[in-house]
Amino acid sequence: MAFVNERLTSEQKEIFNSLKIKKPIFGFGRIIREVDMELPWYWTIDKERKMYLMSTSYDRDYPDERVFVFIWNNKNYLVQFNISVENGYTVVWNIPKHYLINEVYPYCKDNHFLDDLREALVAYGVTGNPNTSNKKCSTKCNF
């Protein structure tokens, strides 16, 4: 099965709570602390492979740098990408210009990690929201 953007169901909320995910709080271009991640409204999920991508937060001083939790092979990875737009409707995910997190690209060197992460980001699009405006854009990854 492929990644899809979904609004969390009651059952998925229980799954999320069991994952005990921490999210970073940013200030001045770096992580200043971590807190329990609050229940998201939606996520990008591959149900068969049990992979999840969720946006966490960003630093207002670096609004084009987006940070996500990517759950892959039962491990949580904090990943960051720079977002830009081409031709007014193509979302482009790039390697960060300014790292807000301690981990650096490629985040994991295991086989298929980056392929799965690319696939998740393409499905995520611009917002990860399963609404129609997210479906109107195209998405590509430059990494």
Side-chain angles (χ1 to χ4, degrees):
M1 181 172 224
F3 282 97
V4 294
N5 296 321
E6 287 188 340
R7 185 168 297 276
L8 273 70
T9 64
S10 296
E11 182 179 279
Q12 289 171 325
K13 289 175 183 178
E14 289 178 26
I15 293 169
F16 173 83
N17 287 330
S18 74
L19 298 172
K20 305 218 182 292
I21 299 171
K22 297 285 189 187
K23 81 171 194 171
I25 303 295
F26 297 105
F28 310 106
R30 62 183 176 83
I31 296 174
I32 54 176
R33 67 184 167 150
E34 288 185 342
V35 297
D36 291 337
M37 187 168 173
E38 296 173 10
L39 190 64
W41 288 97
Y42 39 81
W43 59 13
T44 304
I45 180 174
D46 183 320
K47 291 178 185 175
E48 280 184 11
R49 299 185 292 170
K50 296 182 180 173
M51 288 188 246
Y52 314 88
L53 179 73
M54 293 164 277
S55 179
T56 62
S57 53
Y58 66 93
D59 187 324
R60 69 180 184 182
D61 293 328
Y62 300 93
D64 296 335
E65 301 297 332
R66 303 294 169 85
V67 177
F68 301 89
V69 170
F70 183 50
I71 300 173
W72 186 80
N73 281 349
N74 298 315
K75 287 181 67 178
N76 297 359
Y77 293 89
L78 200 58
V79 299
Q80 176 188 335
F81 292 97
N82 178 274
I83 188 172
S84 61
V85 177
E86 287 181 355
N87 304 323
Y89 64 89
T90 301
V91 176
V92 182
W93 294 104
N94 300 291
I95 294 172
K97 294 179 180 175
H98 175 89
Y99 280 98
L100 302 171
I101 62 176
N102 299 329
E103 295 81 7
V104 294
Y105 180 85
Y107 310 112
C108 175
K109 294 183 181 183
D110 292 351
N111 288 337
H112 306 293
F113 176 83
L114 286 178
D115 296 331
D116 293 337
L117 182 53
R118 278 187 203 98
E119 187 181 336
L121 282 169
V122 167
Y124 179 88
V126 68
T127 64
N129 190 328
N131 67 20
T132 56
S133 65
N134 199 46
K135 294 175 184 174
K136 291 179 182 178
C137 71
S138 62
T139 308
K140 70 179 189 179
C141 296
N142 283 341
F143 62 89

